[in-house]
Amino acid sequence: MKNLSVLINTVLLSSSIAMASLPVQAAMPQSLNGQTMPSLAPMLEQVTPGVVLISVRGTHEVQQRVPDAFKFFFGNPRQNQGQQKEREFRGLGSGVILDADKGYIVTNSHVINDADEIQITLKDGRQLEAKKIGGDEASDIALLQIVADDLIAVKFADSDRIRVGDFAVAIGSPFGLGQTVTSGIVSALGRSGLNIENYEDFIQTDAAINSGNSGGALINLRGELIGINTAILGPNGGNVGIGFAIPSNMVQNLVNQIIEFGEVRRGVLGVAGRSVTSEIAKAMELDVSQGGFVEQVTKDSAADEAGIRAGDVIIKINGKMIKTFNELRGKIGSIGAGKTIKITVIRKDGKEKTYDVTLKKSEMAKIEAVSLHRMLDGAELENDDKGNGIVVAEIAENSPAASVGLRKGDVINGINRQRINNIGELRSYLNDHKGVFALNVQRNNSSLFLMIR
């Protein structure tokens, strides 16, 4: 768990309040001494098999300082302030099954970072090796895959519809104790600026989240996923009832990109700015007290082409209110390139305008192909806009990719006679197979095969 913790906080429900406010499936009555008592057990029995324990093992480099008295024996002391040494580590976390048929599991990126082995333990006791499909450290999301029968997936909720005060239940494996359930409420929405991740739009909850809960589920009383638990805030790692979860809509956007591309391919709005404050509102004579104040619009960006101007205050995305510029950044950061969204702004004259904005590709949208295969080192790849393969955007001279015959402008649309539509499919194929590969390449009007091994 990242720099955080949470008190075990049991929601106390009187019979009258609970039975009036809890959904039927969450509050199936249990008889005790002739009295009817509300219970979350029936709902949890359906959902908890979809939350797993993740155990990781790996090595990472640590810096060892050399005592001054011995630096003479290690050459130039200015170049030998320390030595790199590999140290084995083990870790625990949680994950949520998203697709029972394909075995997809979502967790936090920090749970499986640098892991050489990832083991999944299901609630029924089965232990399985997992494969990493992709991840995004900036938003702390990673996607794993296992092969198993009779899996149970957790259904997604629309996190844009949750409200402060809604009941929330956290499921995970804190401190390696095994699966644990805690309850609370949604304490706040749209939390950002915490410097926990680069892209933040957290759900805050007082449901107990502790070390080992990372990557676990935050669900509503219908048993639907509203967030992935990622962090807690507390002095000395102690639990003070402030936990954070990545909203399910953000998770779904990111996971869909990882499945398609093997990574997150963020769209770019093309604005710079800051959150509206009382000082800014007064200086700019604005009629709003919150939102994202646009200081600059990049020329030819998505915002520029849509008509957004410097001085506008962005107050909504797809009809959902925006309180801060960090919240705006967090929401945009989870939406893929090419997606069209509605952005509502308030102009200096007080008029409200809504624009359809199609997000453009980030400059980071191309990937270095060495991450796919060593013989593709030196090539920059990007998906064809129409889904017809993978475009070689750049090729370095005298690189391994150039030596196998790839050229700038080539389109890779197959491997070993299997159709490949995007980088995600190519990555998946290369991960699952070994040996010699024949890339089917379209060059101008010609089709050819290039061999890599």
Side-chain angles (χ1 to χ4, degrees), residues 59-78:
T59 58
H60 53 208
E61 290 186 346
V62 294
Q63 185 81 10
Q64 285 191 321
R65 291 194 60 80
V66 179
D68 292 340
F70 295 96
K71 286 182 180 177
F72 173 80
F73 299 101
F74 293 92
N76 186 340
R78 300 184 68 179

PDB file of all heavy atoms in Angstrom, residues 59-78:
ATOM      1  N   THR A  59      13.566  -9.350  -7.933  1.00  0.00           N
ATOM      2  CA  THR A  59      14.793  -8.723  -7.453  1.00  0.00           C
ATOM      3  C   THR A  59      14.834  -7.287  -7.927  1.00  0.00           C
ATOM      4  O   THR A  59      14.297  -6.952  -8.981  1.00  0.00           O
ATOM      5  CB  THR A  59      16.048  -9.453  -7.971  1.00  0.00           C
ATOM      6  OG1 THR A  59      16.034  -9.464  -9.406  1.00  0.00           O
ATOM      7  CG2 THR A  59      16.110 -10.873  -7.445  1.00  0.00           C
ATOM      8  N   HIS A  60      15.447  -6.436  -7.138  1.00  0.00           N
ATOM      9  CA  HIS A  60      15.691  -5.081  -7.579  1.00  0.00           C
ATOM     10  C   HIS A  60      17.072  -4.642  -7.098  1.00  0.00           C
ATOM     11  O   HIS A  60      17.627  -5.189  -6.140  1.00  0.00           O
ATOM     12  CB  HIS A  60      14.607  -4.111  -7.110  1.00  0.00           C
ATOM     13  CG  HIS A  60      14.342  -4.132  -5.642  1.00  0.00           C
ATOM     14  ND1 HIS A  60      13.124  -3.817  -5.092  1.00  0.00           N
ATOM     15  CD2 HIS A  60      15.128  -4.455  -4.588  1.00  0.00           C
ATOM     16  CE1 HIS A  60      13.180  -3.937  -3.784  1.00  0.00           C
ATOM     17  NE2 HIS A  60      14.381  -4.301  -3.447  1.00  0.00           N
ATOM     18  N   GLU A  61      17.593  -3.650  -7.796  1.00  0.00           N
ATOM     19  CA  GLU A  61      18.936  -3.184  -7.476  1.00  0.00           C
ATOM     20  C   GLU A  61      18.885  -2.209  -6.301  1.00  0.00           C
ATOM     21  O   GLU A  61      18.005  -1.355  -6.237  1.00  0.00           O
ATOM     22  CB  GLU A  61      19.582  -2.499  -8.686  1.00  0.00           C
ATOM     23  CG  GLU A  61      19.940  -3.471  -9.801  1.00  0.00           C
ATOM     24  CD  GLU A  61      20.711  -2.797 -10.918  1.00  0.00           C
ATOM     25  OE1 GLU A  61      20.729  -1.549 -10.947  1.00  0.00           O
ATOM     26  OE2 GLU A  61      21.282  -3.506 -11.758  1.00  0.00           O
ATOM     27  N   VAL A  62      19.835  -2.359  -5.394  1.00  0.00           N
ATOM     28  CA  VAL A  62      19.958  -1.434  -4.274  1.00  0.00           C
ATOM     29  C   VAL A  62      21.365  -0.869  -4.277  1.00  0.00           C
ATOM     30  O   VAL A  62      22.314  -1.519  -4.713  1.00  0.00           O
ATOM     31  CB  VAL A  62      19.669  -2.132  -2.925  1.00  0.00           C
ATOM     32  CG1 VAL A  62      18.230  -2.562  -2.846  1.00  0.00           C
ATOM     33  CG2 VAL A  62      20.597  -3.317  -2.706  1.00  0.00           C
ATOM     34  N   GLN A  63      21.477   0.369  -3.838  1.00  0.00           N
ATOM     35  CA  GLN A  63      22.767   1.045  -3.793  1.00  0.00           C
ATOM     36  C   GLN A  63      23.434   0.768  -2.452  1.00  0.00           C
ATOM     37  O   GLN A  63      22.858   1.013  -1.393  1.00  0.00           O
ATOM     38  CB  GLN A  63      22.587   2.554  -3.976  1.00  0.00           C
ATOM     39  CG  GLN A  63      23.877   3.330  -4.072  1.00  0.00           C
ATOM     40  CD  GLN A  63      24.484   3.269  -5.468  1.00  0.00           C
ATOM     41  OE1 GLN A  63      23.837   2.808  -6.393  1.00  0.00           O
ATOM     42  NE2 GLN A  63      25.705   3.737  -5.599  1.00  0.00           N
ATOM     43  N   GLN A  64      24.630   0.223  -2.485  1.00  0.00           N
ATOM     44  CA  GLN A  64      25.387  -0.015  -1.267  1.00  0.00           C
ATOM     45  C   GLN A  64      26.547   0.971  -1.209  1.00  0.00           C
ATOM     46  O   GLN A  64      27.379   1.022  -2.115  1.00  0.00           O
ATOM     47  CB  GLN A  64      25.940  -1.438  -1.233  1.00  0.00           C
ATOM     48  CG  GLN A  64      24.880  -2.492  -0.931  1.00  0.00           C
ATOM     49  CD  GLN A  64      25.522  -3.827  -0.636  1.00  0.00           C
ATOM     50  OE1 GLN A  64      26.490  -4.202  -1.251  1.00  0.00           O
ATOM     51  NE2 GLN A  64      24.962  -4.555   0.328  1.00  0.00           N
ATOM     52  N   ARG A  65      26.592   1.737  -0.154  1.00  0.00           N
ATOM     53  CA  ARG A  65      27.676   2.698   0.002  1.00  0.00           C
ATOM     54  C   ARG A  65      28.957   1.996   0.438  1.00  0.00           C
ATOM     55  O   ARG A  65      28.935   1.067   1.241  1.00  0.00           O
ATOM     56  CB  ARG A  65      27.301   3.776   1.019  1.00  0.00           C
ATOM     57  CG  ARG A  65      26.196   4.703   0.528  1.00  0.00           C
ATOM     58  CD  ARG A  65      26.101   5.939   1.398  1.00  0.00           C
ATOM     59  NE  ARG A  65      27.319   6.713   1.407  1.00  0.00           N
ATOM     60  CZ  ARG A  65      27.682   7.560   0.438  1.00  0.00           C
ATOM     61  NH1 ARG A  65      26.906   7.718  -0.615  1.00  0.00           N
ATOM     62  NH2 ARG A  65      28.803   8.241   0.533  1.00  0.00           N
ATOM     63  N   VAL A  66      30.062   2.480  -0.105  1.00  0.00           N
ATOM     64  CA  VAL A  66      31.369   1.932   0.237  1.00  0.00           C
ATOM     65  C   VAL A  66      31.994   2.806   1.320  1.00  0.00           C
ATOM     66  O   VAL A  66      32.118   4.019   1.131  1.00  0.00           O
ATOM     67  CB  VAL A  66      32.294   1.893  -0.994  1.00  0.00           C
ATOM     68  CG1 VAL A  66      33.664   1.330  -0.609  1.00  0.00           C
ATOM     69  CG2 VAL A  66      31.662   1.068  -2.104  1.00  0.00           C
ATOM     70  N   PRO A  67      32.367   2.244   2.446  1.00  0.00           N
ATOM     71  CA  PRO A  67      33.010   3.057   3.482  1.00  0.00           C
ATOM     72  C   PRO A  67      34.239   3.776   2.948  1.00  0.00           C
ATOM     73  O   PRO A  67      34.969   3.240   2.106  1.00  0.00           O
ATOM     74  CB  PRO A  67      33.391   2.013   4.554  1.00  0.00           C
ATOM     75  CG  PRO A  67      32.459   0.873   4.316  1.00  0.00           C
ATOM     76  CD  PRO A  67      32.225   0.840   2.844  1.00  0.00           C
ATOM     77  N   ASP A  68      34.467   4.988   3.435  1.00  0.00           N
ATOM     78  CA  ASP A  68      35.578   5.795   2.947  1.00  0.00           C
ATOM     79  C   ASP A  68      36.903   5.064   3.040  1.00  0.00           C
ATOM     80  O   ASP A  68      37.769   5.192   2.170  1.00  0.00           O
ATOM     81  CB  ASP A  68      35.654   7.105   3.738  1.00  0.00           C
ATOM     82  CG  ASP A  68      34.479   8.019   3.446  1.00  0.00           C
ATOM     83  OD1 ASP A  68      33.843   7.818   2.400  1.00  0.00           O
ATOM     84  OD2 ASP A  68      34.210   8.927   4.256  1.00  0.00           O
ATOM     85  N   ALA A  69      37.100   4.280   4.084  1.00  0.00           N
ATOM     86  CA  ALA A  69      38.378   3.606   4.295  1.00  0.00           C
ATOM     87  C   ALA A  69      38.685   2.570   3.220  1.00  0.00           C
ATOM     88  O   ALA A  69      39.841   2.185   3.026  1.00  0.00           O
ATOM     89  CB  ALA A  69      38.384   2.938   5.671  1.00  0.00           C
ATOM     90  N   PHE A  70      37.629   2.127   2.507  1.00  0.00           N
ATOM     91  CA  PHE A  70      37.832   1.075   1.516  1.00  0.00           C
ATOM     92  C   PHE A  70      37.700   1.574   0.079  1.00  0.00           C
ATOM     93  O   PHE A  70      37.858   0.798  -0.853  1.00  0.00           O
ATOM     94  CB  PHE A  70      36.819  -0.063   1.746  1.00  0.00           C
ATOM     95  CG  PHE A  70      37.019  -0.781   3.044  1.00  0.00           C
ATOM     96  CD1 PHE A  70      36.285  -0.440   4.163  1.00  0.00           C
ATOM     97  CD2 PHE A  70      37.952  -1.805   3.150  1.00  0.00           C
ATOM     98  CE1 PHE A  70      36.471  -1.088   5.358  1.00  0.00           C
ATOM     99  CE2 PHE A  70      38.135  -2.460   4.347  1.00  0.00           C
ATOM    100  CZ  PHE A  70      37.397  -2.113   5.464  1.00  0.00           C
ATOM    101  N   LYS A  71      37.388   2.855  -0.112  1.00  0.00           N
ATOM    102  CA  LYS A  71      37.171   3.362  -1.467  1.00  0.00           C
ATOM    103  C   LYS A  71      38.411   3.240  -2.335  1.00  0.00           C
ATOM    104  O   LYS A  71      38.325   3.121  -3.552  1.00  0.00           O
ATOM    105  CB  LYS A  71      36.694   4.822  -1.404  1.00  0.00           C
ATOM    106  CG  LYS A  71      35.248   4.953  -0.958  1.00  0.00           C
ATOM    107  CD  LYS A  71      34.800   6.400  -0.949  1.00  0.00           C
ATOM    108  CE  LYS A  71      33.340   6.492  -0.494  1.00  0.00           C
ATOM    109  NZ  LYS A  71      32.891   7.899  -0.418  1.00  0.00           N
ATOM    110  N   PHE A  72      39.605   3.261  -1.704  1.00  0.00           N
ATOM    111  CA  PHE A  72      40.840   3.151  -2.460  1.00  0.00           C
ATOM    112  C   PHE A  72      40.875   1.868  -3.275  1.00  0.00           C
ATOM    113  O   PHE A  72      41.424   1.810  -4.373  1.00  0.00           O
ATOM    114  CB  PHE A  72      42.036   3.202  -1.504  1.00  0.00           C
ATOM    115  CG  PHE A  72      43.356   2.939  -2.173  1.00  0.00           C
ATOM    116  CD1 PHE A  72      44.010   3.939  -2.887  1.00  0.00           C
ATOM    117  CD2 PHE A  72      43.931   1.683  -2.107  1.00  0.00           C
ATOM    118  CE1 PHE A  72      45.216   3.679  -3.513  1.00  0.00           C
ATOM    119  CE2 PHE A  72      45.136   1.426  -2.734  1.00  0.00           C
ATOM    120  CZ  PHE A  72      45.786   2.432  -3.435  1.00  0.00           C
ATOM    121  N   PHE A  73      40.290   0.798  -2.728  1.00  0.00           N
ATOM    122  CA  PHE A  73      40.352  -0.506  -3.383  1.00  0.00           C
ATOM    123  C   PHE A  73      39.353  -0.646  -4.527  1.00  0.00           C
ATOM    124  O   PHE A  73      39.342  -1.647  -5.226  1.00  0.00           O
ATOM    125  CB  PHE A  73      40.095  -1.618  -2.357  1.00  0.00           C
ATOM    126  CG  PHE A  73      41.105  -1.639  -1.254  1.00  0.00           C
ATOM    127  CD1 PHE A  73      40.803  -1.098  -0.018  1.00  0.00           C
ATOM    128  CD2 PHE A  73      42.368  -2.182  -1.460  1.00  0.00           C
ATOM    129  CE1 PHE A  73      41.729  -1.106   1.003  1.00  0.00           C
ATOM    130  CE2 PHE A  73      43.291  -2.189  -0.445  1.00  0.00           C
ATOM    131  CZ  PHE A  73      42.989  -1.653   0.793  1.00  0.00           C
ATOM    132  N   PHE A  74      38.477   0.380  -4.716  1.00  0.00           N
ATOM    133  CA  PHE A  74      37.445   0.288  -5.735  1.00  0.00           C
ATOM    134  C   PHE A  74      37.655   1.315  -6.842  1.00  0.00           C
ATOM    135  O   PHE A  74      36.718   1.745  -7.493  1.00  0.00           O
ATOM    136  CB  PHE A  74      36.061   0.491  -5.098  1.00  0.00           C
ATOM    137  CG  PHE A  74      35.675  -0.619  -4.178  1.00  0.00           C
ATOM    138  CD1 PHE A  74      35.955  -0.532  -2.825  1.00  0.00           C
ATOM    139  CD2 PHE A  74      35.055  -1.754  -4.653  1.00  0.00           C
ATOM    140  CE1 PHE A  74      35.621  -1.551  -1.970  1.00  0.00           C
ATOM    141  CE2 PHE A  74      34.709  -2.786  -3.799  1.00  0.00           C
ATOM    142  CZ  PHE A  74      34.982  -2.689  -2.449  1.00  0.00           C
ATOM    143  N   GLY A  75      38.924   1.714  -7.072  1.00  0.00           N
ATOM    144  CA  GLY A  75      39.206   2.624  -8.174  1.00  0.00           C
ATOM    145  C   GLY A  75      38.938   4.059  -7.794  1.00  0.00           C
ATOM    146  O   GLY A  75      39.090   4.457  -6.639  1.00  0.00           O
ATOM    147  N   ASN A  76      38.517   4.868  -8.786  1.00  0.00           N
ATOM    148  CA  ASN A  76      38.286   6.290  -8.596  1.00  0.00           C
ATOM    149  C   ASN A  76      37.190   6.499  -7.558  1.00  0.00           C
ATOM    150  O   ASN A  76      36.035   6.146  -7.783  1.00  0.00           O
ATOM    151  CB  ASN A  76      37.874   6.932  -9.924  1.00  0.00           C
ATOM    152  CG  ASN A  76      37.755   8.441  -9.811  1.00  0.00           C
ATOM    153  OD1 ASN A  76      37.621   8.993  -8.726  1.00  0.00           O
ATOM    154  ND2 ASN A  76      37.811   9.109 -10.949  1.00  0.00           N
ATOM    155  N   PRO A  77      37.496   7.071  -6.402  1.00  0.00           N
ATOM    156  CA  PRO A  77      36.474   7.218  -5.352  1.00  0.00           C
ATOM    157  C   PRO A  77      35.341   8.120  -5.767  1.00  0.00           C
ATOM    158  O   PRO A  77      34.242   7.992  -5.258  1.00  0.00           O
ATOM    159  CB  PRO A  77      37.260   7.811  -4.175  1.00  0.00           C
ATOM    160  CG  PRO A  77      38.455   8.461  -4.788  1.00  0.00           C
ATOM    161  CD  PRO A  77      38.794   7.628  -5.979  1.00  0.00           C
ATOM    162  N   ARG A  78      35.556   9.013  -6.726  1.00  0.00           N
ATOM    163  CA  ARG A  78      34.487   9.914  -7.158  1.00  0.00           C
ATOM    164  C   ARG A  78      33.477   9.169  -8.025  1.00  0.00           C
ATOM    165  O   ARG A  78      32.356   9.607  -8.194  1.00  0.00           O
ATOM    166  CB  ARG A  78      35.070  11.097  -7.927  1.00  0.00           C
ATOM    167  CG  ARG A  78      36.044  11.912  -7.087  1.00  0.00           C
ATOM    168  CD  ARG A  78      36.537  13.116  -7.826  1.00  0.00           C
ATOM    169  NE  ARG A  78      35.465  14.075  -8.021  1.00  0.00           N
ATOM    170  CZ  ARG A  78      35.653  15.241  -8.643  1.00  0.00           C
ATOM    171  NH1 ARG A  78      36.827  15.579  -9.115  1.00  0.00           N
ATOM    172  NH2 ARG A  78      34.636  16.073  -8.776  1.00  0.00           N
TER     173      ARG A  78
END
